[in-house]
Amino acid sequence: MYSESDIDGAVTAGAISPDAAAALRRHVAASHATPAVDEEHFRLLTGFNDIFVSIAIVLLLVAVGQIGLSIAKPAGGALVAAAAWALAEYFTARRRMALPSILLLVAFVGGVAGGLIGLVETIAPDIDGRAGALAAAAIGLCSAGAAWLHWRRFMVPITVAAGAAALVATGIGLVVAAIPDIRQAVWPLLLIGGLAVFAVAMRWDMSDTERKTRRADVAFWLHLAAAPMIAHSIFQMLGVFAGDIGAGKALVVLALYLCFAAVALAVDRRALLVSGLVYVLAALYALFRSAGAIELGAALTAFVIGSALLSLSAFWQPMRRAVVTALSQSLRHRLPPVAVA
């Protein structure tokens, strides 16, 4: 499967003409009976060789990390980051392999963070409190810088999301360092960070509403990073897993999930629906149990949610049309186009 940015790159390289690219997009949309933007294309595999190479990369990086740790704690992450960058010079810059490029980006940023964590543990093994929060913020900032360097060199779409997540960690660390008592309010801070990442994702999305360039791929990964921050923060603050949910709290969870669905339909991104799924499953299961369906609670929950999600997928276009039509004219122009009825 080729992404929209791959097609756009082929046009830029002169491999195919703009008219041929447009015809290809129209053909794919017609064959799928859905607009191309509704498919949320992103490239994960270019072939089975991606899986083969990815397995080899994981084995090699794990070995390099173990060798480094046997030398010193900081060396483990540092060697992983160095190896990941070196491998990316071939598999990302030259071969343009999708899954290996994603793994190498994660390994590079994670290696930088891991190396810095090892350095802090070596220098100050008992660090805690405000100093620990400042150290965490510094590690997050360095990780974001590593992501920026990787983006400048390789421009892998997931890199921006990795950098954004690192900046959220930096922000939370700085706030906790400034106000130590706010440590207990980490979920609201994470929610604010998630909303900020969501805003950045929408900025990338609105710059390419037709989703024909690399910017749409970047927005996809930003949405994927923002969604769990938002969903987990909200539902954790509600205490979904803090004990028995109860019918009232379960109904609140279901209502919030419906709000997530409306937002997902409006922006044409499904990440929020996936991130909040475990919570709505727990809420619906609690409702069935409170209604007396003890033995079949899990089965009924899976049946209802599975049916609802399949229906949402099948009728995504008309449901999205209804949601977008209810929005203001100025906002509709900033969102991906809807299918013509």
Side-chain angles (χ1 to χ4, degrees):
M1 171 64 71
Y2 298 99
S3 68
E4 291 288 338
S5 60
D6 289 323
I7 299 175
D8 191 56
V11 173
T12 303
I16 59 175
S17 68
D19 290 340
L24 175 60
R25 290 188 175 102
R26 288 194 297 270
H27 169 72
V28 172
S31 63
H32 291 178
T34 181
V37 293
D38 282 347
E39 295 293 334
E40 284 196 90
H41 289 299
F42 75 100
R43 191 176 64 159
L44 185 62
L45 296 174
T46 54
F48 188 78
N49 192 38
D50 276 40
I51 299 175
F52 181 78
V53 171
S54 297
I55 293 172
I57 286 173
V58 170
L59 292 173
L60 178 61
L61 292 180
V62 168
V64 168
Q66 289 293 328
I67 293 171
L69 286 174
S70 68
I71 301 172
K73 283 186 177 181
L79 288 179
V80 167
W85 185 284
L87 291 170
E89 289 289 348
Y90 178 72
F91 292 107
T92 301
R94 294 183 59 184
R95 295 287 303 276
R96 310 301 299 176
M97 300 182 76
L99 183 58
S101 296
I102 293 171
L103 291 176
L104 290 171
L105 173 274
V106 173
F108 175 70
V109 177
V112 170
L116 292 173
I117 291 171
L119 181 63
V120 170
E121 289 179 346
T122 301
I123 297 173
D126 299 323
I127 191 170
D128 196 6
R130 179 168 292 174
L134 283 173
I139 291 171
L141 187 60
C142 291
S143 299
W148 180 80
L149 287 174
H150 199 280
W151 170 257
R152 295 288 296 177
R153 176 66 183 94
F154 303 109
M155 299 191 75
V156 180
I158 192 178
T159 311
V160 180
L167 287 177
V168 170
T170 301
I172 293 175
L174 290 175
V175 172
V176 172
I179 313 172
D181 293 339
I182 208 172
R183 186 185 299 271
Q184 304 301 323
V186 65
W187 291 116
L189 293 175
L190 187 60
L191 174 60
I192 294 171
L195 292 174
V197 176
F198 180 81
V200 174
M202 289 304 303
R203 184 176 179 86
W204 282 81
D205 249 344
M206 289 188 294
S207 68
D208 179 22
T209 56
E210 296 286 341
R211 296 184 180 169
K212 295 181 179 179
T213 68
R214 187 190 303 271
R215 301 184 71 84
D217 294 340
V218 172
F220 168 83
W221 290 107
L222 281 167
H223 279 289
L224 212 60
M229 297 183 197
I230 296 171
H232 296 331
S233 299
I234 291 175
F235 291 124
Q236 287 293 332
M237 285 189 289
L238 283 174
V240 175
F241 292 131
D244 290 336
I245 298 178
K249 189 179 292 185
L251 290 174
V252 172
V253 171
L254 292 176
L256 283 171
Y257 196 72
L258 289 176
C259 293
F260 283 178
V263 173
L265 286 165
V267 303
D268 205 12
R269 295 291 187 185
R270 297 161 177 81
L272 267 176
L273 294 175
V274 176
S275 295
L277 188 57
V278 64
Y279 298 100
V280 77
L281 285 169
L284 197 58
Y285 178 67
L287 283 178
F288 280 126
R289 285 181 63 87
S290 65
I294 305 298
E295 296 181 356
L296 292 177
L300 289 173
T301 299
F303 178 80
V304 171
I305 295 300
S307 300
L309 292 179
L310 286 175
S311 299
L312 185 63
S313 177
F315 299 103
W316 184 267
Q317 296 171 60
M319 294 177 71
R320 182 167 186 268
R321 189 183 308 117
V323 171
V324 173
T325 303
L327 301 175
S328 65
Q329 185 74 16
S330 60
L331 188 55
R332 287 202 297 268
H333 286 310
R334 294 173 177 268
L335 297 173
V338 296
V340 179

